[in-house]
Amino acid sequence: MEDTSLTTRQAYLAMYAFLSRQYELGCEELGGLLGSMSLLADGQTVDPAVGQDWAEAVASAKSGTVDAYLKLQGRESS
């Protein structure tokens, strides 16, 4: 991935744009989440818990504790 710097707000908006596009492509399960993530006029999220979850996710990413690597489980032989 290209190394770019974003503010926390820009990263949030990038994530929102990405999820919004996935919703447009047919992932209807994202509709409720996007509604909760939407921003009010004061810049806060509709669901305050989403804003807190985002802040925690940013802190995890900055600390290097997010593991996004795919892990495949082997099938047990019968």
Side-chain angles (χ1 to χ4, degrees):
M1 286 186 193
E2 182 180 338
D3 184 20
T4 60
S5 295
L6 299 172
T7 65
T8 299
R9 182 168 177 81
Q10 288 170 327
Y12 184 88
L13 294 174
M15 175 189 58
Y16 187 91
F18 174 80
L19 293 176
S20 181
R21 179 68 180 136
Q22 298 308 304
Y23 177 71
E24 290 170 5
L25 293 172
C27 187
E28 294 182 14
E29 296 85 6
L30 292 173
L33 176 60
L34 287 166
S36 296
M37 290 175 56
S38 295
L39 298 177
L40 299 170
D42 65 0
Q44 298 298 311
T45 54
V46 169
D47 180 350
V50 170
Q52 180 60 37
D53 290 345
W54 174 250
E56 291 171 8
V58 168
S60 294
K62 284 185 170 185
S63 71
T65 60
V66 176
D67 182 3
Y69 288 96
L70 177 65
K71 293 168 189 60
L72 301 175
Q73 299 291 325
R75 294 198 303 187
E76 296 180 29
S77 56
S78 315

